[in-house]
Amino acid sequence: MDGQRLIHDLERVLFTQEQIAHRVTQLARILTRRFGTLRPVLVCVLKGACFFYVDLCRSMDCAIDMDFISVSSYGLSARSTGVVRLNRDLDQPITGRHVILVEDIIDSGRTLEYLKALFAARKPASVTTVALLEKQGCHSARSAADLYGFPIGGEFVVGYGLDYANQYRNLPYLAVLKPERYTSGAADSTQERNPQHET
């Protein structure tokens, strides 16, 4: 798909490169103040959080360890299967470690709940969740991130790592995808029927 087609598929830019960079710097400062002497393990939830994760790691002014995990519940569609599957586990033990779990977006909260339970069983010293985006009113309080970059509504957002059917990840900003790109008709265009991709 060429660049012009990518832009044509977008309804509007939601957050610019400059806005994202500024907010990532703010989050990194908060995390550095909290964990600067503790050498936290930052865990990236692949693939959606990859750009956010790298920028966050580079902006933290302290020693860190990096690791990656991959889960899925959506495949190539816009609809969640409701079942979260572990595709790639961590490379290192987290027992006794301070873990910062980095997500792209919190929508239904299923992925985050699954990962919190998975990590809790490994007895870390703490788990702090950080999401780039958090959809308001779409999940329970226990599924909310400890920190997040931006609150959003029911839009389907792509760019800066977030995708639809593995497209649009490389856009340097966050944009709203036109509903006709992920729905088969107007009757199927509500966010409840087409939840945002969370992996």
Side-chain angles (χ1 to χ4, degrees), residues 65-124:
D65 286 334
M66 300 172 69
D67 211 332
F68 302 85
I69 197 166
S70 176
V71 294
S72 64
S73 64
Y74 284 78
L76 296 179
S77 73
R79 301 181 187 179
S80 172
T81 63
V83 177
V84 180
R85 183 178 71 242
L86 179 64
N87 298 325
R88 182 196 189 280
D89 206 345
L90 300 176
D91 289 329
Q92 58 188 299
I94 58 171
T95 302
R97 301 294 304 276
H98 292 277
V99 177
I100 301 173
L101 181 62
V102 183
E103 262 277 31
D104 56 354
I105 185 169
I106 308 300
D107 184 350
S108 69
R110 291 190 191 98
T111 299
L112 188 56
E113 286 186 25
Y114 172 86
L115 289 172
K116 281 182 174 180
L118 181 70
F119 286 10
R122 301 176 184 185
K123 296 181 170 42

Side-chain angles (χ1 to χ4, degrees), residues 6-25:
L6 284 175
I7 294 173
H8 179 73
D9 291 342
L10 306 178
E11 193 171 273
R12 69 185 187 279
V13 173
L14 199 58
F15 299 107
T16 65
Q17 286 179 261
E18 292 75 19
Q19 288 173 308
I20 295 168
H22 178 68
R23 185 57 180 147
V24 170
T25 299

Side-chain angles (χ1 to χ4, degrees), residues 15 19-20 23 131-135 148-152 174:
F15 299 107
Q19 288 173 308
I20 295 168
R23 185 57 180 147
L132 174 62
L133 301 174
E134 183 162 278
K135 286 202 172 184
Y148 61 85
F150 304 99
I152 61 171
L174 288 159

Side-chain angles (χ1 to χ4, degrees), residues 145-161:
D146 296 312
L147 294 169
Y148 61 85
F150 304 99
I152 61 171
E155 306 93 344
F156 198 106
V157 182
V158 295
Y160 196 61

